[in-house]
Amino acid sequence: MKIFLSGGSGHLGSVLVPRLRAAGHEVSAPRSKECDLMVFHECLSATKGSDMIIHAAAVAKSRVEQMAHPSESFRPNVLMTLQILEAARQNKVKKVLIVNSLRAYADMEAPFKEEALLESKVPSIKNKTFGYYGLSKWVSIPAGRAYAAEFEDMKIREVVFSNLYGPNDKFDFDPPPAVPSFIKKIAAAKKQAMPAFDAGNNPGATLDLLYVDDAAELMMRVVENFGDGSFDIINGGGGRSYELREVADTVAEAVGFSGKITWSGEIKTPPMFLDTEKAHSQFDWKPSTTLSKGINNTVEWFNKNYGKTK
């Protein structure tokens, strides 16, 4: 099968491309300088002749940048998705698989079920950190449904992932997400022989974490078992929420930091994690990588690319 994959050099895409090729698919995964998805004629040309489009590209910013410049991720994320869908229609590409984010869900009680994305609830822009990013990902849901409803030969799937981590993570973000942030800071604390490391003020805050290889495995199963329905949403998450204190302690062990992890206070936040029953029942998928194994693999990659921690 000829597959066009956007975001092929990204965190998930870099794992997915070799898997697709190993499965016998012909994959085109141009970088943004080779195909600018913000320019429609480039998008149209790049996707011509494809049997499937996998849209994994996204503009993601650090939480600080999201707050300061929300339009810099909102506009490109919305525009790229709409142009991918329209290019698929014009090129008669019958299968479109879109990577989405947990941030597309509105504030609600966890676990988040796929059906909630089909209701009228949308992410709140009162969330100054991720509100506009969440909206930019939520837009993909009604857009995909609209194309699938009008054009009967198009089948559209959206896989909604929780917080991915692993090799090639966003270590260069300022600040990085939780796992790469803890790895960088605790590695620095070890290098400086610090007796203790202050991890912040929210040890009880929770994250739904999913190792990137497990995410790629779910994508492969959706690719190979696309199904006959016009539109569907599949959650892909870790199946539980991890407290930040557990994440920090696991990183400290992987890095080899023998000092004490301290916390300066605690702020209560509601848990956020995805219900993954559909992924299990329809695709026989469950994450297979433990937090310890995933973080050890990530630390090993960090050592090779950013300097030794052991």
Side-chain angles (χ1 to χ4, degrees):
M1 185 162 54
K2 292 183 178 180
I3 298 176
F4 173 84
L5 172 66
S6 70
S9 61
H11 189 203
L12 175 59
S14 61
V15 178
L16 188 56
V17 167
R19 289 194 178 208
L20 289 166
R21 288 175 175 159
H25 300 292
E26 181 182 334
V27 181
S28 171
R31 291 177 173 268
S32 57
K33 64 182 180 182
E34 301 166 322
C35 173
D36 185 351
L37 298 181
M38 300 281 285
V39 180
F40 182 67
H41 71 83
E42 293 189 23
C43 186
L44 189 66
S45 176
T47 56
K48 188 174 182 179
S50 301
D51 300 306
M52 177 186 289
I53 294 173
I54 300 176
H55 181 40
V59 176
K61 302 282 187 179
S62 73
R63 57 183 180 272
V64 171
E65 291 174 309
Q66 293 279 7
M67 293 175 69
H69 307 288
S71 67
E72 291 183 7
S73 60
F74 181 84
R75 179 176 179 272
N77 285 335
V78 171
L79 184 57
M80 286 191 295
T81 299
L82 294 177
Q83 300 207 138
I84 281 287
L85 288 168
E86 179 59 17
R89 183 192 71 82
Q90 291 193 25
N91 284 327
K92 302 186 185 305
V93 181
K94 294 183 178 180
K95 297 179 180 179
V96 180
L97 176 54
I98 298 173
V99 175
N100 212 314
S101 166
L102 172 149
R103 297 292 175 183
Y105 281 94
D107 293 338
M108 64 185 71
E109 185 177 347
F112 303 159
K113 296 180 181 292
E114 291 92 344
E115 292 79 7
L117 289 172
L118 302 177
E119 298 171 358
S120 59
K121 299 175 182 177
V122 300
S124 173
I125 58 174
K126 291 181 180 179
N127 181 336
K128 296 181 179 180
T129 307
F130 293 109
Y132 287 104
Y133 175 77
L135 275 174
S136 77
K137 304 305 289 182
W138 176 85
V139 165
S140 177
I141 302 297
R145 292 182 75 190
Y147 272 82
E150 183 172 352
F151 307 106
E152 294 181 356
D153 58 344
M154 288 184 71
K155 297 177 182 178
I156 299 171
R157 304 289 180 267
E158 305 218 14
V159 180
V160 181
F161 286 119
S162 59
N163 302 284
L164 301 187
Y165 75 100
N168 198 30
D169 207 341
K170 303 176 182 71
F171 283 91
D172 293 328
F173 272 33
D174 183 20
V179 172
S181 178
F182 279 139
I183 290 174
K184 287 182 72 173
K185 291 178 179 179
I186 295 175
K190 181 196 173 185
K191 187 175 182 179
Q192 297 169 27
M194 295 172 60
F197 167 72
D198 184 357
N201 64 355
N202 206 359
T206 61
L207 290 172
D208 183 342
L209 294 172
L210 181 65
Y211 188 60
V212 67
D213 282 42
D214 290 330
E217 177 59 25
L218 177 56
M219 292 288 290
M220 290 298 299
R221 297 192 185 197
V222 176
V223 167
E224 303 295 353
N225 301 278
F226 216 74
D228 295 325
S230 60
F231 181 82
D232 202 6
I233 304 168
I234 304 100
N235 281 340
R240 55 163 289 193
S241 56
Y242 295 90
E243 289 191 353
L244 287 184
R245 60 165 60 87
E246 181 180 359
V247 178
D249 289 345
T250 305
V251 168
E253 183 177 356
V255 167
F257 177 65
S258 58
K260 185 178 181 181
I261 303 291
T262 63
W263 300 87
S264 54
E266 184 160 0
I267 303 172
K268 295 292 184 181
T269 58
M272 295 178 64
F273 64 99
L274 299 173
D275 183 301
T276 58
E277 177 57 33
K278 180 186 283 190
H280 178 58
S281 62
Q282 291 189 10
F283 301 98
D284 193 27
W285 175 89
K286 282 187 176 181
S288 61
T289 308
T290 64
L291 182 66
S292 177
K293 177 63 174 176
I295 286 180
N296 271 285
N297 291 346
T298 310
V299 168
E300 182 178 350
W301 182 90
F302 177 80
N303 286 339
K304 292 178 180 177
N305 291 274
Y306 286 86
K308 296 292 184 180
T309 62
K310 288 188 177 181

